[in-house]
Each structure stands twice: as C-alpha cells, then as structure tokens.
Amino acid sequence: MRAIWKGAVSFGLVSIGVKVYSATEEKDIRFHQVHREDGGRIRYKRTCSVCGEEVTYDDIAKGYDIGGGEMVILTDEDFAELPLTTSHAIDVLEFVPAEQVDPILYNKAYFLEPEGSATKPYVLLRDALADSERVAIVKVALRQREQLATLRVREGVLLLNTMLWPDEVRQPDFGFLDEDLKVRPPELAMASSLIDSMAGEFEPDAFTDDYRAALQEVIDAKVEGREVVQPEEEEAAPAAAVDLMAALKASVERARAARGEAPEGGAGEPTPISAARSAQKAAKATKAPAKKAAEKKATAKKAPTKKAAEKKAEPAKKTAAKKTPAKKAPAKKAAEKKAAPRKTA
C-alpha cells in the first residue's frame, strides 16, 4: 500500500506521527470509451465555451457560480492561503460511545500506521481506546477540506473514518410518514417470527458480487476466444402480496425449510398464528372420520332393504311362471283332440 497522507495524531500533549492509507478499494471493472470500428481510444479536448480555444491544465482555474451568469474565479494562490492545506494534524476532540454515532455519517475509511519512533505512543492510544469501548471524535484536513472523523480500533490498527457533516445528511420527506397506518398485533407477531427464523451472524465473506464475477467471465471468454457460458436465469421476483398474513406465513415456512427446521405444526415452538391454524386442522380432522362413519352406516342400512326386496320378488316371479303353463297346457290338448275327428270325416 502507498501512503496518501502524513501527519500526527494530537492526543492531549502527546503527538503521534502516522501515515494514512486507504483502507478500502473499489473492485468495479473499469472500461475505456473506444471507437467501435477500430478500437481506438476516445479523447476529449478541453475547450473554452467563450473563445473556443483548447485549454491546457496550467490555464485551468476553479470557478464558483454565484448565479445570473456570474462566476468567481479562484486560483491556486487563493487555496494556498487557507490554513487547512498545510495542517497535518488529527486533533482528538472527545471520546464518545460508538453506538451514539449514526452509521449514516460514515464516509471513507483509512488505516493509520505509526511513523518512526511513534510506535509506543501509538500502541498506548490503541489499547486505551480499546479498553474504553469508545471512539475518538477528531478533526482532520484531507483533500483540501476539513472533515469530521472518528478513530477506532480494528484488528490491532487505528482506523480513521471520515464523516459527513450533519447538514450533508438529507431529511426524509415522504407522504406515507403523515399517514395514520396501524399494524395489527398478529401481523407484527408473524413479522417478528420471520425475523427470528432468518436471524444469524454476519459473515461478510459469505457474500459475493455475482454481477462482477459474470462480467469478468465474459471478458475472459473474449480474450481466450471461447464461447461465453450464459449464467442460469434467476427466478422472477414475486408479485406484491395481496394477503400480507399469508405472505408472511409462507416466508416463515420457507426460511425454516432453508435452515432444515421443522415446518409449522412440527416440533418447533408454535406462534399465535400457527397455534390457531393447528386448532382448525385438528377440528377438521375430527369431523372427517365422524362424517365417513355416518355415511357408511347409512349405506349399510339401505343395502339389506334393497336385497330383501329383490329376494322377495324372485320367488313371486317363479311361482307365476309355473302356474301359467299349467293352465294353458290342458286347454291346448282338448282343442287338438276336438279338432282331429272333424278332419277324418
């Protein structure tokens, strides 16, 4: 790493020489603007909007627009007269509990390394700061501006976090803040249950920049002249939930399943909502066997009656069938005997 600033931490009457290093770095993949046909770099000329001439860096100054088309021009000499440009001190103002500093105020982070013989007072301040469980509020002049910052300990090193000034933080002004919206206790209980089911310990290394990895794969494939493997399509985002309670319940069950925990109604501790739903399921389960038993009983009663009627009808039909031929047979024979002599004569 290369030091970007040198100065001293002023801690009471103690002065600790330090070097300042950027603690973070952006990993974004950067591109140049090029001509599509031949890949030539695109260059921009610095031209004056008044005379149209090209301007070199030596002829460029800073201008402050005061409105109405008027501009106040500031040169390097104007900035050189400001006391902040030559101040290389990190002045400790006070020590406060870390939780009193709103994270929205944090801007950029820098490591501090002791310089020369300042190692012992550096370690002394580091250990005392760690034991106090507080952060130091300091003022420092970086990049030609005075900045508010904090000093805290991270992995045995003093970390300088520059901060925004309070007037640089915007105030939220949204219409829904004036609406009288009330959340029902069951909804709040289910939302709390969802938070509990998704609770865990934050491990930054578990998260990756999937977009940057996919973009790097595209670049590597172009360089090597191979086909780009398209990543799997992600599932579409679900539509906005109409039934809030149903969406919360489904979310809780999905989170529990992802953790390998018992689903609702299992061995897990029941919530007020899950207890009510379990009672409804139990009531339905109790009614179902009773209904089936009643249907079976009714079927059993109807079946013998029908069979008995069928049995009763069958003998009657047989009796009728036997009697009818017995009556018709003698009459037919008598008629045949009577008709036979007439034919002989």
Side-chain angles (χ1 to χ4, degrees):
M1 292 189 292
R2 183 175 62 87
I4 63 169
W5 189 86
K6 290 183 181 181
V9 176
S10 178
F11 175 42
L13 298 178
V14 179
S15 181
I16 307 170
V18 293
K19 294 179 181 179
V20 178
Y21 301 84
S22 293
T24 61
E25 60 179 337
E26 293 184 1
K27 293 289 187 177
D28 289 342
I29 298 175
R30 300 182 180 277
F31 297 95
H32 295 293
Q33 289 185 328
V34 298
H35 189 193
R36 188 187 301 274
E37 293 183 1
D38 52 23
R41 290 279 301 275
I42 304 300
R43 304 292 184 183
Y44 291 94
K45 292 182 178 181
R46 296 172 296 279
T47 58
C48 175
S49 61
V50 177
C51 64
E53 294 183 3
E54 186 175 351
V55 182
T56 63
Y57 278 114
D58 295 337
D59 292 331
I60 294 177
K62 290 181 172 64
Y64 180 78
D65 190 351
I66 59 177
E70 296 185 73
M71 193 80 67
V72 174
I73 299 175
L74 299 176
T75 63
D76 292 340
E77 288 75 17
D78 295 322
F79 288 101
E81 293 179 1
L82 297 175
L84 294 177
T85 55
T86 57
S87 175
H88 284 261
I90 301 175
D91 296 320
V92 177
L93 306 177
E94 59 182 355
F95 297 91
V96 302
E99 61 269 16
Q100 291 184 359
V101 181
D102 191 337
I104 196 174
L105 294 172
Y106 288 127
N107 192 7
K108 293 184 178 180
Y110 301 90
F111 289 131
L112 301 187
E113 178 193 21
E115 184 179 23
S117 60
T119 303
K120 187 171 182 179
Y122 178 98
V123 172
L124 175 64
L125 175 59
R126 180 198 66 187
D127 294 348
L129 195 58
D131 291 342
S132 69
E133 297 183 351
R134 292 172 179 262
V135 296
I137 302 298
V138 304
K139 271 189 177 182
V140 59
L142 284 176
R143 304 185 187 282
Q144 295 186 340
R145 62 168 296 189
E146 186 179 54
Q147 299 188 59
L148 194 65
T150 62
L151 269 184
R152 60 187 179 92
V153 181
R154 184 181 188 275
E155 297 182 355
V157 177
L158 288 177
L159 184 72
L160 178 75
N161 272 111
T162 58
M163 302 167 64
L164 302 172
W165 294 100
D167 60 356
E168 293 179 314
V169 179
R170 294 176 175 177
Q171 294 298 318
D173 183 16
F174 305 111
F176 78 92
L177 295 174
D178 298 325
E179 297 178 10
D180 186 17
L181 297 175
K182 293 182 180 179
V183 177
R184 295 187 294 117
E187 294 173 338
L188 185 59
M190 185 58 73
S192 299
S193 180
L194 176 58
I195 291 174
D196 291 339
S197 65
M198 298 178 66
E201 299 295 330
F202 179 57
E203 298 179 2
D205 293 337
F207 304 93
T208 57
D209 187 348
D210 295 334
Y211 176 81
R212 178 160 57 93
L215 181 57
Q216 187 64 56
E217 169 62 22
V218 171
I219 294 173
D220 293 343
K222 285 275 189 179
V223 172
E224 298 169 9
R226 56 183 170 83
E227 184 180 355
V228 180
V229 178
Q230 294 295 335
E232 295 182 3
E233 293 185 5
E234 296 184 1
E235 295 182 3
V242 178
D243 188 341
L244 183 57
M245 283 299 296
L248 286 170
K249 181 177 179 295
S251 299
V252 170
E253 292 176 352
R254 184 175 66 175
R256 286 176 177 170
R259 288 172 173 264
E261 297 177 1
E264 185 179 306
E269 184 180 347
T271 63
I273 303 302
S274 63
R277 292 185 181 275
S278 297
Q280 289 178 358
K281 288 179 181 178
K284 287 180 181 179
T286 306
K287 289 178 182 179
K291 188 177 179 182
K292 286 182 179 179
E295 290 175 353
K296 194 173 182 181
K297 196 172 182 182
T299 306
K301 285 181 179 179
K302 289 178 182 178
T305 307
K306 188 175 180 182
K307 286 182 179 178
E310 289 176 353
K311 284 182 180 179
K312 212 170 188 181
E314 283 176 3
K317 287 180 182 178
K318 288 179 181 179
T319 307
K322 287 178 181 178
K323 287 180 179 178
T324 305
K327 288 180 181 179
K328 288 182 179 179
K332 189 176 181 183
K333 286 181 180 180
E336 288 174 352
K337 285 180 178 181
K338 201 170 185 181
R342 288 179 184 176
K343 287 180 181 180
T344 306

